[in-house]
Amino acid sequence: MADRDSVLVFYDDRVLAHQPDGHGTFLSRRMDKRLRETLAGLGVAWKYPEHPGRLTAILELLEHDPVAGVRFEAGAQATSEQLGRVHTTGYLETINQLRGKKAWLDVDTTAVSPGSIEAAEVAAGTAVAAVEAVMTGRAESAFALVRPPGHHAESVRARGFCLFNNVAVAAAHARAEFGCSRVLIVDWDAHHGNGTQEIFWADPSVLFFDIHRAAPFFPGSGNLEDIGGGLGEGTTVNVPMPAGAGDTAYIKAFHDILVPATEWFQPDLILVSAGFDPHWNDLALSVSYEGFGAMAGILQDLARRHCDGRLAFVLEGGYNLTSLAQGTKSVLKVLAGGEPPVPGIIGLKEVDEAIDFHRDAFIVPEDDR
């Protein structure tokens, strides 16, 4: 049996070589003009938000304040066969032609630098490595610290900082190489995982659960009524959230929607697209560090009840370095055997303390009444 008090974290330095900037050429002159006009209209110097510092912030926190039970292993580079299970041959050929180049792929902020293609292959391969670790029993749970992220990448298109859909590649690998008949993917990133939804839209072997900030927030997809199609009808579950939604709403959605969906689906493996931009530091939603830990605890419990504990996380978004690092750490603490936290309502404890402090200050003596 895999060690329940440890978690394998997979990381590879090659993912740091993805370093886009705002000065690359666009693949279409017409789109290049549109992009330049957009950036010029910002009025400030634009920097690519998805940068190597995201991972180094996590690594530095774990180095200075380590979590007992966290073990590190090197990542791996995805093969063409692994990528080809979820991306078309034509798309992979187009991406491969950009190896060693600097260019924009899409006007919605997807770009590459000379090291980006290998970095993206390593990101997808490292997600595969995390799956292999839990499927072979070397670990009950694993976490792939990767970039570029993946859940916006569709079968034929790069979008939203994403080149290859890392979690989809990992799920397809579990199906092809380990015979998993049912894979559950949970996406709690603030942005809807449009790429993962598109890839598995008609696939009944993958249940995709996505809780995210509702449209028109990027990428504008993930409506409540989007439930999959064809044989996959009913295996896409979207939970759109309003701006500011936090722990109470997220945990209620997990208990009242995700838990019964998992009971119905009976997965062989649970994968998590773990973005930390739902934290209030990222200004999209209001999930706390305790909220991330609590959600990890629910998923750990579901994995232990339905698939021998097999649970693998793949990093997605999160652009405030403090909340990204602390959120990741809160999840790792639970995966490594820590007690899942019980989030409170933000501010309630402080109000109770203030009530106690001021309780006797405004009592009117009975004689003055």
Side-chain angles (χ1 to χ4, degrees):
M1 178 182 292
D3 185 356
R4 289 193 169 194
D5 293 325
S6 69
V7 54
L8 267 179
V9 173
F10 288 86
Y11 169 73
D12 193 304
D13 282 335
R14 288 176 288 179
V15 299
L16 301 181
H18 173 58
Q19 300 182 30
D21 58 39
H23 305 292
T25 57
F26 205 87
L27 299 185
S28 156
R29 290 183 180 178
R30 181 172 55 187
M31 296 297 278
D32 183 81
K33 180 180 179 182
R34 178 180 163 194
L35 176 69
R36 302 300 162 211
E37 290 174 348
T38 299
L39 295 182
L42 295 177
V44 295
W46 189 86
K47 293 183 179 180
Y48 203 76
E50 204 293 291
H51 55 83
R54 297 178 63 243
L55 289 195
T56 57
I58 297 171
L59 295 170
E60 287 172 1
L61 176 62
L62 294 177
E63 180 181 356
H64 290 102
D65 190 12
V67 176
V70 169
R71 298 176 289 138
F72 279 86
E73 286 195 10
Q77 190 166 359
T79 65
S80 297
E81 179 183 4
Q82 290 167 346
L83 297 172
R85 294 184 181 124
V86 301
H87 295 291
T88 66
T89 300
Y91 176 71
L92 294 179
E93 289 175 350
T94 298
I95 292 296
N96 194 54
Q97 291 171 3
L98 296 174
R99 194 178 300 273
K101 297 180 180 179
K102 179 191 293 188
W104 284 83
L105 280 70
D106 195 281
V107 77
D108 76 1
T109 65
T110 310
V112 296
S113 64
S116 293
I117 307 308
E118 181 181 21
E121 291 168 344
V122 171
T126 300
V128 167
V131 162
E132 290 181 340
V134 299
M135 291 305 302
T136 58
R138 292 197 302 113
E140 182 185 61
S141 57
F143 200 122
L145 291 180
V146 298
R147 60 176 294 276
H151 70 152
H152 293 309
E154 300 174 357
S155 56
V156 297
R157 180 186 178 190
R159 287 194 71 188
F161 307 145
C162 304
L163 300 179
F164 301 131
N165 195 308
N166 305 320
V167 77
V169 171
H173 184 75
R175 296 267 295 117
E177 299 298 326
F178 293 97
C180 289
S181 58
R182 294 174 300 279
V183 178
L184 168 62
I185 299 176
V186 176
D187 189 328
W188 76 38
D189 190 277
H191 305 84
H192 178 246
N194 60 287
T196 312
Q197 175 173 288
E198 182 261 341
I199 289 168
F200 296 117
W201 180 256
D203 188 343
S205 69
V206 175
L207 175 61
F208 178 55
F209 173 93
D210 194 307
I211 184 166
H212 54 275
R213 183 167 164 183
F217 195 68
F218 182 87
S221 53
N223 296 321
L224 184 65
E225 298 80 12
D226 295 340
I227 60 170
L231 294 177
E233 183 175 344
T235 56
T236 294
V237 180
N238 282 298
V239 185
M241 290 282 100
D247 298 341
T248 301
Y250 269 65
I251 291 169
K252 182 175 177 60
F254 269 48
H255 281 306
D256 293 350
I257 304 173
L258 177 59
V259 169
T262 305
E263 299 279 355
W264 166 77
F265 189 64
Q266 295 290 307
D268 302 310
L269 168 69
I270 298 177
L271 300 178
V272 186
S273 275
F276 293 93
D277 41 8
H279 190 270
W280 54 265
N281 274 344
D282 257 301
L283 305 180
L285 293 154
S286 295
V287 177
S288 69
Y289 302 139
E290 292 79 13
F292 290 122
M295 290 190 291
I298 295 170
L299 292 169
Q300 186 181 61
D301 179 65
L302 287 173
R304 287 174 175 172
R305 286 197 282 128
H306 296 289
C307 46
D308 295 326
R310 293 187 290 266
L311 175 63
F313 285 68
V314 181
L315 184 65
E316 296 287 357
Y319 305 97
N320 179 281
L321 300 186
T322 299
S323 52
L324 171 61
Q326 292 287 354
T328 301
K329 181 183 174 184
S330 69
V331 168
L332 292 176
K333 288 173 67 176
V334 172
L335 298 183
E339 189 69 24
V342 179
I345 298 173
I346 294 176
L348 190 60
K349 177 175 70 71
E350 289 77 8
V351 169
D352 285 338
E353 291 172 353
I355 290 171
D356 290 338
F357 180 82
H358 296 295
R359 189 179 304 277
D360 299 328
F362 308 110
I363 297 177
V364 180
E366 290 188 10
D367 292 343
D368 294 338
R369 291 179 184 175

